Amino acid sequence: MSGTATEPLVGRTAAELSSAVREGRVNPLDVVEAHLERIAALDGSVRAFQVVRPDGVREEALALSSRADLSRLPLAGVPVSIKDNLDMAGYPTRNGTLASPEEPAASDDELVRRLRLAGAVPLGKTTVPELCLWPFTETAAFGATRNPWNLDRTPGGSSGGAAASVAAAMAPLALGADGGGSIRIPASCCGLVGIKPGPGVVPAAAGQSTWVGMSENGPLGTTVADVALMLDVLAGTETYRTVEPPDRQLRIAASVASPAVGVKVHPDVKRCFDGTIAALRGAGHTVVAGDPPYRPTDSVPFLHRAFVGGAEVADGMRFEALERRTRSWVRNGRWLRRNRPPSQASADALRRRFQDWLGEGGYDLLLTPTLATPPLRIGAYQGKSLWPTIIGLTRFMPFAPLMNVLGFPAMSVPAGQTSDGLPVGVQLAAPRGGESLLLSVALLLQTIQPWQRLAPLDEDQR
């Protein structure tokens, strides 16, 4: 690993790096140089970054060294990657498309500003699918981002570049966004921890669509402690970083039943899921088979909002420069926005049904697989039109989107690997306000079934 003679710097957790910087054992410039070297060595194969800013990174690291408050900064000297749907001063926000404006952003998004104030150093912006629509990160304009665990597989999406940058040890932490699983899906694909907070915890990006209230910003990292710390910074709180395992017995509903009719869970995913149940029971918690009150029409409110959200993202872009499949999405969304805008009542009714089910069952949280299958192969949906893509992807990602409509906080936690070494995640979800509980259970899982934090990239994969 790159670093100094006494302090290896690449592959360390954010908590370890920030502690070393605060205590003066390493300086921020050494930290960012080591990560820039890692990016230079690996990103030609992985393609996690849309843009890397080496000169700006070095200048910020030097300036950070002289900050009077360095010893108090929670993310002192920690390199982070920023999803390319958020503004970072001096760089265009491309949203995975050449249809977007080329003009650089005049200022940082509030979340980027908060990260910098906390001592983090943004390395650059990470890749996304066009308009952040898909659970794979492949575009006609910028190519395919690959999973560091297996370069023939997707890292997920839409925060695919963000997850790949962390799994490949190019950054200890990444800022993502999740409108239908876009943090949790890549976290599962890349063996990471990722949390979608509930509404109002982390500020929405200024000037960006929230997908009719479904999208939330949040962190991806390799440990629960790192993710909890970054969530605190993003939220402007000191609530989550003191995470501890649960101090009481929990009652957990566990289900592999799919919200989408006819979807079956892959045997390797089921094996990892069952292992998580056994681990939680072994730790003294009550885990019962409890299928949520799904209905065949539950996907409608999500798709309705997602179509309209995609149309909102496309506002101000050159429609003719979008990919054919994306243009179909945007046409549908514009028609719905104009003629049948989404109803808040439908989301409220859905949320009441699930809250009542949790309450009546006495459940503290819900445990599901994050994904129904292992990560997709690169190019699995290349050239397919809109509806075949949407219907096909239902077999891959049936569990995540509903939590966005419900507004429930949800996170993906590593749960093992497939028979051929691909990561598998489980999803934890709780009613609004349950972020601390989710982090607590995730920390317990990290303690009792620890995971391999980083992808085993070797020379023949680079």
Side-chain angles (χ1 to χ4, degrees):
M1 290 189 293
S2 301
T4 68
T6 56
E7 293 278 356
L9 301 178
V10 168
R12 303 290 291 274
T13 68
E16 290 169 341
L17 284 175
S18 60
S19 176
V21 170
R22 285 194 300 270
E23 294 169 9
R25 290 185 280 119
V26 297
N27 68 66
L29 184 58
D30 287 339
V31 175
V32 300
E33 287 287 5
H35 287 84
L36 289 171
E37 288 176 15
R38 181 76 171 179
I39 293 168
L42 295 183
D43 205 42
S45 298
V46 177
R47 302 187 71 168
F49 282 89
Q50 179 70 28
V51 62
V52 181
R53 43 188 297 273
D55 292 339
V57 165
R58 293 182 179 106
E59 290 172 6
E60 287 181 32
L62 284 169
L64 183 64
S65 299
S66 62
R67 278 181 60 170
D69 60 350
L70 180 63
S71 64
R72 300 189 300 276
L73 298 178
L75 292 177
V78 175
V80 297
S81 63
I82 307 296
K83 185 175 180 177
D84 193 25
N85 69 332
L86 295 167
D87 286 348
M88 187 163 65
Y91 298 89
T93 301
R94 299 315 307 258
N95 264 300
T97 180
L98 294 177
S100 57
E102 297 181 17
E103 292 76 23
S107 60
D108 285 339
D109 180 81
E110 171 62 17
L111 298 182
V112 178
R113 187 190 72 83
R114 290 184 181 191
L115 288 169
R116 281 190 161 121
L117 281 176
V121 183
L123 293 167
K125 305 191 78 176
T126 53
T127 53
V128 298
E130 193 166 56
L131 306 194
C132 299
L133 297 180
W134 306 112
F136 50 82
T137 302
E138 303 164 32
T139 66
F142 305 117
T145 299
R146 297 176 180 272
N147 192 324
W149 288 82
N150 183 324
L151 297 179
D152 293 327
R153 301 282 180 154
T154 183
S158 60
S159 305
S165 73
V166 176
M170 292 187 273
L173 286 169
L175 176 56
D178 189 318
S182 290
I183 288 173
R184 291 160 288 153
I185 292 167
S188 182
C189 288
C190 293
L192 303 177
V193 182
I195 186 167
K196 177 198 80 70
V201 174
V202 173
Q208 296 285 338
S209 170
T210 65
W211 275 34
V212 197
M214 291 198 302
S215 184
E216 302 292 340
N217 299 297
L220 295 110
T222 65
T223 69
V224 176
D226 279 3
V227 165
L229 177 59
M230 185 169 171
L231 182 60
D232 254 343
V233 169
L234 297 175
T237 63
E238 297 185 4
T239 301
Y240 306 111
R241 69 190 72 181
T242 56
V243 59
E244 297 285 347
D247 58 3
R248 62 181 177 88
Q249 185 183 58
L250 300 175
R251 181 173 169 84
I252 301 168
S255 177
V256 295
S258 170
V261 175
V263 175
K264 301 295 184 183
V265 170
H266 188 279
D268 282 348
V269 174
K270 180 65 162 57
R271 172 176 52 79
C272 294
F273 182 77
D274 290 343
T276 301
I277 291 174
L280 289 168
R281 284 175 175 161
H285 298 285
T286 300
V287 185
V288 299
D291 292 343
Y294 299 134
R295 295 177 184 171
T297 57
D298 284 346
S299 63
V300 174
F302 169 76
L303 285 172
H304 195 169
R305 286 160 173 74
F307 275 126
V308 172
E312 290 173 346
V313 176
D315 287 345
M317 294 187 183
R318 294 182 295 117
F319 180 79
E320 69 282 359
L322 295 168
E323 296 174 25
R324 178 175 60 89
R325 181 169 53 194
T326 306
R327 293 198 300 270
S328 296
W329 183 300
V330 172
R331 286 192 195 98
N332 279 280
R334 287 175 174 173
W335 187 92
L336 288 167
R337 180 170 56 176
R338 184 171 61 249
N339 297 289
R340 294 183 183 175
S343 162
Q344 184 59 42
S346 64
D348 291 343
L350 194 62
R351 183 165 52 253
R352 284 193 298 271
R353 188 189 343 139
F354 277 77
Q355 286 175 332
D356 290 348
W357 171 76
L358 287 166
E360 290 166 4
Y363 301 127
D364 294 290
L365 56 86
L366 171 65
L367 173 71
T368 74
T370 306
L371 297 167
T373 76
L376 300 169
R377 290 193 176 277
I378 295 289
Y381 286 88
Q382 185 174 353
K384 292 187 182 293
S385 58
L386 178 64
W387 284 106
T389 301
I390 290 174
I391 293 168
L393 289 171
T394 300
R395 296 190 291 271
F396 173 56
M397 48 162 286
F399 299 102
L402 185 61
M403 299 305 152
N404 296 79
V405 183
L406 297 174
F408 284 5
M411 67 186 299
S412 184
V413 182
Q417 296 178 5
T418 65
S419 58
D420 54 353
L422 293 169
V424 173
V426 293
Q427 177 177 246
L428 305 169
R432 291 186 179 187
E435 289 83 3
S436 292
L437 176 62
L438 297 183
L439 290 164
S440 177
V441 175
L443 181 61
L444 172 64
L445 288 172
Q446 183 180 340
T447 303
I448 59 180
Q449 53 176 29
W451 49 77
Q452 183 175 333
R453 291 178 45 244
L454 299 167
L457 277 167
D458 52 37
E459 291 297 332
D460 62 4
Q461 288 181 284
R462 298 184 183 186

